[in-house]
Amino acid sequence: MVPLDTTTGMPGSEDCADALFGPTAMLLIGFSEAETAAVAFWLDSALGAAEHVDLVTATAATLAGTLADALQGDSGALDPSQPHPPPPRTVILSGMYSAEVVEVIAAWRADLAETGTVPEPVWAAAVPNNWGRIVSDLVEAIAADDAAMRAAKAGGGEQRE
């Protein structure tokens, strides 16, 4: 991955609609410590992006805050606790062009999911519409959308009359 211009695409900037949105980051939700370490290693070794993409791991405090807080490092006091039960594994990508999002997901599937190192998560991207949402609510909505999409795909899609 090529280093991205972090001065563009921040919420409220004029070029946000047609460029990047949010800080360049990958938010991991529902991952164990070992899985997080594997993702950090993969981010550096497979993509060479560790110095360009902030890896943010969600804690109980992160889940109670907004996506903006989580990705901008404003989720409050350091809280190493994990919620029980853990939320579904979710990755929210931020500050990337759509081609980069596709590249990250394809590389993940080719490397981590295929080898069984880290299970396939539910994927999402930070966008203006979800920037101010509470992370736990957002994860629930993302998981529900994913489940509905998988059910429709398994059933051949929706029937039209």
Side-chain angles (χ1 to χ4, degrees), residues 42-90:
W42 167 81
L43 191 61
D44 187 40
S45 64
L47 295 181
E51 65 184 64
H52 309 297
V53 178
D54 290 333
L55 187 61
V56 181
T57 56
T59 65
T62 308
L63 293 173
T66 66
L67 181 59
D69 291 341
L71 291 172
Q72 293 178 329
D74 299 330
S75 57
L78 214 40
D79 175 9
S81 66
Q82 291 293 320
H84 293 284
R89 279 182 196 84
T90 306

Side-chain angles (χ1 to χ4, degrees), residues 14-107:
E14 293 176 13
D15 59 351
C16 189
D18 59 343
L20 305 174
F21 183 83
T24 307
M26 176 184 280
L27 175 61
L28 301 180
I29 302 162
F31 286 75
S32 71
E33 240 180 270
E35 291 168 339
T36 300
V39 172
F41 178 78
W42 167 81
L43 191 61
D44 187 40
S45 64
L47 295 181
E51 65 184 64
H52 309 297
V53 178
D54 290 333
L55 187 61
V56 181
T57 56
T59 65
T62 308
L63 293 173
T66 66
L67 181 59
D69 291 341
L71 291 172
Q72 293 178 329
D74 299 330
S75 57
L78 214 40
D79 175 9
S81 66
Q82 291 293 320
H84 293 284
R89 279 182 196 84
T90 306
V91 175
I92 301 177
L93 301 173
S94 173
M96 297 179 194
Y97 293 106
S98 58
E100 291 172 317
V101 169
V102 170
E103 177 186 344
V104 168
I105 294 170

Side-chain angles (χ1 to χ4, degrees), residues 144-145 147-161:
D145 287 348
M149 183 180 67
R150 289 179 189 275
K153 187 176 181 181
E158 292 183 17
Q159 300 289 331
R160 293 187 183 209
E161 295 182 24

